[in-house]
């Protein structure tokens, strides 16, 4: 069993003077073996909170979690991520011009770097034979100008590319990583900060802990882990502050970026990939972010990030660098070797100039020259070869000889020491060392629902606007159709009220469209590395929607039922409420499904409005089912409005004893409606003589059952219509799940 120890650790003044890139010296000062890979507990003993150094903040000392087996001493657990000959290319459309068309395909492809082009497309190489190694305890920075392939390389290493699209090999400790295992032991921090705006920093990290840490870890220990991480990230002063967005003031940009990193390292991953973590930050915030990444690396993780142009202070925190130019490697090695490299190349770096700025400027200059960076690429290959042959104790040789543990043994030992706090077992096979998901489905469901409720509860204006729209619509309908009578005109007005009311419930659900669109990328980030199941998200999304739909249904039903004068009493009102609720449920599910398919809000609104208009057209209000052309009858049966519309009609007109047309009222909807009453009675007497039956002014001519037959509402009962409407809601939720399953792979092709 793992043991959790909370330690009050005070920063060591002596440690601040030690260079972070000198890992061996730091470990010796901490009393740990030089070859040992420190855990988070050891890390926080030797690393002072840089927030104090930069801002002068006086926060309490760190509280760290140390997970290890009783009596186990720290031991060397090196991880080395190796990648070789990575090549990735895409098809891009050609820029067609009249000279190109006349010269033909051969002229068009003369300058292409690889074969396989067509007349309309060409192949663009984004990565070309990229190789390198990244050990734990160090930060590897991928650098280059825009379009050089930085993000592409990060995506390739993080398994965010389809296998058939990427050539080359990627291995951890000499063994090829399985996709399922990589998702559990790694994390990927996107360039954009994707967080729920109305959650505080502490709540955001706590929900991440609930997702990524196992159920076997108690609530109090998860809280301790979160508090230790808040201190590690330098977020103590912002712990109770909401994240914020455009409409709500929250944390700063640098703090937001550190929170994004924190949500992905809560389970202490072995591999951490970051795409431009310093983008958009000022110099101090960027330095603090990279300082945090250095602490994470020294806790025994492999940190690989892309960065555009680091400052001099950030450069001192980096251990390895790869410079890319149009998909080629132009330099790979330590930042300290940059002056020697460019000096040997014939372009020495001036003493007073930033090394990376000089390198990037030179690369851009070469890219604009006729030969491009080919000379620098070839020089890098020969320089690396010469360096390895001239120095048998070079970095690469040392790396290959230091790790003796297999991947399975290294992960198993890491779990024993608490490196992977989400790990649960030490079984024989590597795939069972860590579970695919840290928690069962029902815990994921509870945490997701709690997070959604917390976030939406702090934005009551969203539900308030929706409730206001429903109440205003109900008020207008109630006053417009106030106490309808049981005359033929009253029947027509009832039909119009029901058609408009049922379609309104569906149109009101259109505001659910942006809900998932706003959460789409948060969902993709969290599910890409198995924070929770997609099925858990779909179920949670459905459960969270039900209370608001229930309240909206009750508000609309109570506003309109008695004001319009609908029939059925309390039982009629209950069914009317149920069918309104079912309509909201089906409409919300339909819009949610579309939000999973359509990625843009405006396009989604256009499609929703158009399809709902078609549903209303084929519902049976404008044209009876018997009059719909055979080639369109299928649309009538898939119309979501059809079933609730027919259900409320049956609820209103199902009483066979209730009369809606008596005596002379049969002339009300005809041109004879304007003639005097005496003449109508004479016409009625003549009609009685012709039919051979007595029809008086009190004789019931049309009952509710007759109206249902006239409207073609005879094939289903009202309860059948209710169950079908509810079933439509479940059907679209299932489609929403499959849209997430198929459309959120988040991998390049």
């Amino acid at each position: 069993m793992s043991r959790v120890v909370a330690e009050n650790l005070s920063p060591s003044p002596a440690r601040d003077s030690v260079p972070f890139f000198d890992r061996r010296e730091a470990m010796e000062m901490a009393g740990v073996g030089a070859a040992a890979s420190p855990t988070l507990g050891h890390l926080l003993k030797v690393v002072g909170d840089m927030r104090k150094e930069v801002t002068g903040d006086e926060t309490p000392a760190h509280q760290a979690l140390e997970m290890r087996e009783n009596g186990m001493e720290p031991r060397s657990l090196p991880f080395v991520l190796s990648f070789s000959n990575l090549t990735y290319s895409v098809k891009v459309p050609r820029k067609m011009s009249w000279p190109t068309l006349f010269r033909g395909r051969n002229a068009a492809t003369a300058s292409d770097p690889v074969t396989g082009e067509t007349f309309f497309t060409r192949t663009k190489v984004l990565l070309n034979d990229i190789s390198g190694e990244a050990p734990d305890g160090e930060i590897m920075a991928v650098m280059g100008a825009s379009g050089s392939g930085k993000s592409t390389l990060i995506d390739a290493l993080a398994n965010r590319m389809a296998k058939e699209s990427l050539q080359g090999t990627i291995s951890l400790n000499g063994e090829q990583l399985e996709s399922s295992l990589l998702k559990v032991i790694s994390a990927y921090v996107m360039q954009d900060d994707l967080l729920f705006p109305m959650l505080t920093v502490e709540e955001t990290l706590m929900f991440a802990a609930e997702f990524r840490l196992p159920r076997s870890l108690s609530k109090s220990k998860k809280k301790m882990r979160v508090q230790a991480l808040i201190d590690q990230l330098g977020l103590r002063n912002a712990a109770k502050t909401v994240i914020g967005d455009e409409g709500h003031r929250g944390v700063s940009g640098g703090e937001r970026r550190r929170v994004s990193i924190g949500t992905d390292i809560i389970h202490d991953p072995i591999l951490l990939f970051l795409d431009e973590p310093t983008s958009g930050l000022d110099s101090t915030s960027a330095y603090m972010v990279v300082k945090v990444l250095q602490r994470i690396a020294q806790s025994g993780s492999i940190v690989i990030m892309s960065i555009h142009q680091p400052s001099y202070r950030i450069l001192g925190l980096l251990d390895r660098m790869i410079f890319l130019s149009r998909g080629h490697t132009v330099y790979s090695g330590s930042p300290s070797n940059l002056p020697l490299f460019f000096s040997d190349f014939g372009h020495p770096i001036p003493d007073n100039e930033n090394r990376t700025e000089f390198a990037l400027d030179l690369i851009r200059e070469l890219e604009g020259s006729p030969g491009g960076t080919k000379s620098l690429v070839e020089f890098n290959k020969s320089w690396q070869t010469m360096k390895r042959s001239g120095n048998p104790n070079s970095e690469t040789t040392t790396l290959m000889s230091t790790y003796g543990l297999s991947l399975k043994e290294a992960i198993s030992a890491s779990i024993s020491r608490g490196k992977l706090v989400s790990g649960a077992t030490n079984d024989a096979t590597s795939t069972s060392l860590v579970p695919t998901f840290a928690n069962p489905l029902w815990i994921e469901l509870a945490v997701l629902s709690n997070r959604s409720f917390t976030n939406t509860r702090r934005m009551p204006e969203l539900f308030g606007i929706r409730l206001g729209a429903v109440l205003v619509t109900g008020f207008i309908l109630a006053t417009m159709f106030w106490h309808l009578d049981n005359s033929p005109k009253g029947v027509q007005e009832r039909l119009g009220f029901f058609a408009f009311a049922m379609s309104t419930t569906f149109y009101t659900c259109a505001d659910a469209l942006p809900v998932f669109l706003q959460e789409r990328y948060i969902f993709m980030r969290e599910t890409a590395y198995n924070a929770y199941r997609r099925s858990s998200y779909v179920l949670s999304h459905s459960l969270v929607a039900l209370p608001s739909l229930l309240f909206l249904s009750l508000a609309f039903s109570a506003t309109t039922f008695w004001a319009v004068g609908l029939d059925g009493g309390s039982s009629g009102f209950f069914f009317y409420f149920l069918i309104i609720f079912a309509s909201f449920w089906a409409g919300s599910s339909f819009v949610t499904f579309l939000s999973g398919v359509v990625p843009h809000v405006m396009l989604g609104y256009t499609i929703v409005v158009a399809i709902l208009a078609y549903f209303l057209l084929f519902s049976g209000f404008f044209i009876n089912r018997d009059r719909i052309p055979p080639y369109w009858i299928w649309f009538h049966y898939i119309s979501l409005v059809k079933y609730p519309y027919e259900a409320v009609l049956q609820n209103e007109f199902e009483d066979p004893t209730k009369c809606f047309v008596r005596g002379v009222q049969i002339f009300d909807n005809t041109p004879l409606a304007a003639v005097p009453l005496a003449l109508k009675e004479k016409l009625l007497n003549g009609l009685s003589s012709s039919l051979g039956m007595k029809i008086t002014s009190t004789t019931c001519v049309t009952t509710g059952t007759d109206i249902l037959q006239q409207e073609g509402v005879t094939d289903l009962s009202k309860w059948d219509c209710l169950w079908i409407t509810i079933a439509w809601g479940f059907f679209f939720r299932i489609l929403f799940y499959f849209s997430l399953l198929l459309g959120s792979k988040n991998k390049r092709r």
Side-chain angles (χ1 to χ4, degrees):
M1 292 294 293
S2 296
R3 178 168 54 90
V4 179
V5 181
E7 299 178 346
N8 292 325
L9 305 174
S10 58
S12 173
R15 181 64 187 91
D16 293 338
S17 63
V18 180
F20 274 82
F21 48 80
D22 190 352
R23 189 183 175 205
R24 185 180 302 271
E25 183 180 350
M27 297 310 302
E28 290 173 351
M29 292 181 64
V32 183
S37 178
T39 62
L40 183 60
H42 296 139
L43 166 72
L44 296 178
K45 293 178 181 178
V46 299
V47 179
D49 193 341
M50 284 307 302
R51 178 170 39 75
K52 298 181 179 182
E53 178 182 311
V54 178
T55 65
D57 178 32
E58 296 295 334
T59 58
H62 293 339
Q63 278 194 324
L65 288 186
E66 183 177 324
M67 311 274 187
R68 76 169 64 137
E69 292 291 333
N70 292 332
M72 282 195 64
E73 293 298 327
R75 46 178 298 203
S76 177
L77 300 173
F79 289 96
V80 179
L81 180 70
S82 304
F83 50 96
S84 60
N85 310 116
L86 296 184
T87 302
Y88 174 69
S89 58
V90 294
K91 298 286 186 181
V92 295
R94 292 187 180 279
K95 294 182 179 180
M96 305 302 294
S97 61
W98 287 110
T100 303
L101 292 173
F102 285 117
R103 285 198 303 266
R105 181 177 181 274
N106 292 333
T109 61
S111 61
D112 289 318
V114 295
T115 60
E117 299 87 349
T118 67
F119 184 74
F120 297 103
T121 63
R122 66 183 181 88
T123 301
K124 181 178 180 180
V125 178
L126 301 182
L127 296 178
N128 193 327
D129 197 28
I130 307 295
S131 300
E133 286 187 331
D136 68 295
E138 297 183 359
I139 299 178
M140 172 180 280
V142 182
M143 302 179 61
S146 298
S148 60
K150 301 190 300 296
S151 297
T152 306
L153 178 58
I154 296 293
D155 287 347
L157 297 177
N159 192 34
R160 291 165 62 88
M161 289 182 178
K163 289 184 178 180
E164 61 274 11
S165 302
L166 180 67
Q167 300 176 359
T169 59
I170 302 173
S171 61
L172 184 63
N173 283 29
E175 300 180 23
Q176 190 167 358
L177 275 173
E178 297 179 3
S179 177
S180 58
L181 180 60
L182 180 63
K183 287 183 178 181
V184 181
I185 67 172
S186 67
Y188 184 97
V189 180
M190 297 182 180
Q191 185 171 350
D192 298 323
D193 300 319
L194 305 171
L195 303 166
F196 284 90
M198 300 311 295
L199 299 181
T200 66
V201 170
E202 188 175 18
E203 288 171 341
T204 300
L205 295 176
M206 192 63 208
F207 281 121
E210 294 284 359
F211 288 132
R212 302 308 300 261
L213 303 185
R215 181 178 51 166
S216 57
L217 206 61
S218 67
K219 187 86 170 180
S220 61
K221 293 176 182 177
K222 290 179 181 178
K223 289 181 179 179
M224 292 168 63
R225 166 66 175 160
V226 169
Q227 295 303 317
L229 188 58
I230 287 175
D231 285 330
Q232 184 188 10
L233 296 171
L235 294 169
R236 175 57 58 193
N237 286 343
K240 302 297 183 181
T241 306
V242 297
I243 301 298
D245 56 11
E246 294 81 0
H248 303 86
R249 187 174 181 85
V251 298
S252 66
E255 290 169 335
R256 185 192 302 265
R257 185 60 48 86
R258 280 176 274 160
V259 174
S260 295
I261 296 172
T263 59
D264 287 310
I265 67 168
I266 191 71
H267 61 302
D268 204 11
I270 294 174
L271 298 169
L272 178 60
F273 304 98
L274 306 100
D275 185 16
E276 298 278 4
T278 62
S279 176
L281 301 180
D282 59 81
S283 176
T284 300
S285 297
Y287 174 75
M288 293 179 68
V289 167
V290 180
K291 194 71 174 177
V292 167
L293 296 180
Q294 186 188 54
R295 298 175 186 177
I296 296 168
Q298 292 188 338
S299 70
S301 297
I302 300 173
V303 178
I304 302 177
M305 68 175 184
S306 61
I307 188 169
H308 183 64
Q309 196 163 337
S311 65
Y312 181 80
R313 290 195 302 168
I314 291 178
L315 185 62
L317 303 178
L318 305 180
D319 301 285
R320 292 171 181 268
M321 306 173 70
I322 294 182
F323 279 90
L324 298 180
S325 173
R326 296 177 180 175
H328 294 79
T329 303
V330 293
Y331 175 77
S332 177
S334 170
S336 60
N337 290 332
L338 271 176
L340 178 61
F341 175 81
F342 283 103
S343 178
D344 292 347
F345 183 63
H347 292 76
I349 301 176
D351 294 336
N352 60 346
E353 189 161 352
N354 186 301
R355 301 171 186 175
T356 56
E357 290 180 0
F358 175 86
L360 291 172
D361 291 342
L362 178 60
I363 292 171
R364 289 193 189 96
E365 181 181 338
L366 292 175
E367 287 177 346
S369 64
T373 55
K374 183 177 181 180
S375 59
L376 187 57
V377 172
E378 295 299 327
F379 175 77
N380 175 63
K381 292 179 180 178
S382 60
W383 193 81
Q384 297 289 349
T385 302
M386 178 183 65
K387 184 181 176 184
R388 284 193 296 268
S389 60
N391 183 12
N393 297 321
S394 63
E395 290 179 351
T396 303
T397 307
T398 304
L399 280 178
M400 296 301 294
S401 61
T402 51
Y403 71 84
L405 294 177
S406 67
L407 178 59
K408 180 172 59 177
E409 293 170 339
I411 293 178
S412 178
S414 295
I415 294 174
S416 299
R417 294 180 57 216
K419 178 68 181 84
L420 274 176
V421 293
S422 62
T425 62
N426 266 322
D427 295 340
T429 60
S430 61
T431 56
S432 63
L433 290 176
V434 286
T436 304
F437 297 96
N439 294 285
L441 186 143
W442 66 271
I443 288 184
E444 296 175 351
L445 184 62
V447 176
L448 283 167
S449 301
N450 186 22
R451 183 175 69 173
S452 296
F453 276 125
T454 303
N455 188 65
T456 55
R457 189 178 67 248
R458 292 173 182 168
M459 292 189 290
E461 63 274 10
L462 298 181
F463 177 74
I465 293 174
R466 191 175 183 185
L467 177 62
V470 169
L471 289 176
V472 168
T473 303
F475 174 77
I476 293 175
L477 289 175
T479 53
M480 189 76 175
F481 297 94
W482 181 263
H483 286 178
L484 297 178
D485 56 23
N486 294 330
S487 66
K489 288 186 178 180
V491 171
Q492 293 299 319
E493 291 165 352
R494 275 177 166 81
L495 296 177
F497 165 77
F498 287 136
F500 189 85
M502 294 304 104
S503 60
T504 297
T505 58
F506 286 95
Y507 277 109
T508 306
C509 294
D511 66 346
L513 185 68
V515 173
F516 175 71
L517 292 179
Q518 293 173 351
E519 298 180 10
R520 173 190 293 271
Y521 294 105
I522 299 179
F523 165 82
M524 293 174 66
R525 183 200 71 195
E526 292 176 335
T527 56
Y529 291 89
N530 291 4
Y532 49 80
R533 299 166 179 82
R534 291 174 176 85
S535 56
S536 301
Y537 181 85
V538 173
L539 291 173
S540 167
H541 196 279
S542 303
L543 290 176
V544 170
L546 289 179
S548 62
L549 297 181
L550 192 67
F551 196 82
L552 293 174
S553 304
L554 183 61
F556 186 81
S557 303
T559 305
T560 57
F561 185 83
W562 287 286
V564 175
L566 301 182
D567 190 41
S570 58
S571 61
F573 171 78
F574 179 69
F575 182 83
Y576 179 71
F577 161 73
L578 288 180
I579 197 64
I580 294 292
F581 179 59
S583 300
F584 273 118
W585 161 249
S588 175
S589 300
F590 171 69
V591 173
T592 300
F593 161 65
L594 284 182
S595 70
V597 176
V598 181
H600 304 292
V601 175
M602 293 309 299
L603 180 61
Y605 275 125
T606 303
I607 295 176
V608 167
V609 170
I611 294 179
L612 290 180
Y614 300 148
F615 285 163
L616 178 60
L617 175 64
F618 290 96
S619 64
F621 170 70
F622 293 102
I623 181 172
N624 287 357
R625 182 190 62 202
D626 300 336
R627 302 280 294 174
I628 297 177
Y631 46 83
W632 281 119
I633 194 65
W634 60 273
F635 212 127
H636 170 72
Y637 286 102
I638 67 170
S639 170
L640 295 183
V641 182
K642 161 189 164 63
Y643 300 99
Y645 175 66
E646 292 187 358
V648 291
L649 286 185
Q650 294 190 58
N651 190 53
E652 181 68 16
F653 299 114
E654 66 181 350
D655 187 358
T657 63
K658 189 172 183 179
C659 188
F660 291 92
V661 179
R662 294 181 182 275
V664 294
Q665 288 181 334
I666 63 175
F667 302 113
D668 283 1
N669 291 327
T670 69
L672 299 176
V675 302
L677 179 61
L679 182 56
K680 289 180 181 178
E681 291 177 348
K682 288 182 181 181
L683 292 173
L684 194 60
N685 291 331
L687 186 60
S688 300
S689 301
S690 300
L691 295 175
M693 58 181 296
K694 184 63 175 177
I695 302 177
T696 66
S697 57
T698 59
T699 303
C700 183
V701 180
T702 303
T703 64
T705 305
D706 298 326
I707 294 175
L708 293 178
Q709 291 177 346
Q710 292 172 10
E711 296 299 319
V713 184
T714 57
D715 55 341
L716 294 170
S717 69
K718 68 177 185 180
W719 291 104
D720 290 337
C721 292
L722 175 64
W723 302 132
I724 291 175
T725 304
I726 295 174
W728 272 120
F730 283 104
F731 175 72
F732 283 115
R733 293 288 171 173
I734 294 173
L735 290 183
F736 177 55
Y737 168 74
F738 283 110
S739 71
L740 298 184
L741 199 62
L742 301 176
S744 61
K745 297 297 184 183
N746 202 25
K747 288 192 176 184
R748 301 194 190 195
R749 295 292 177 183

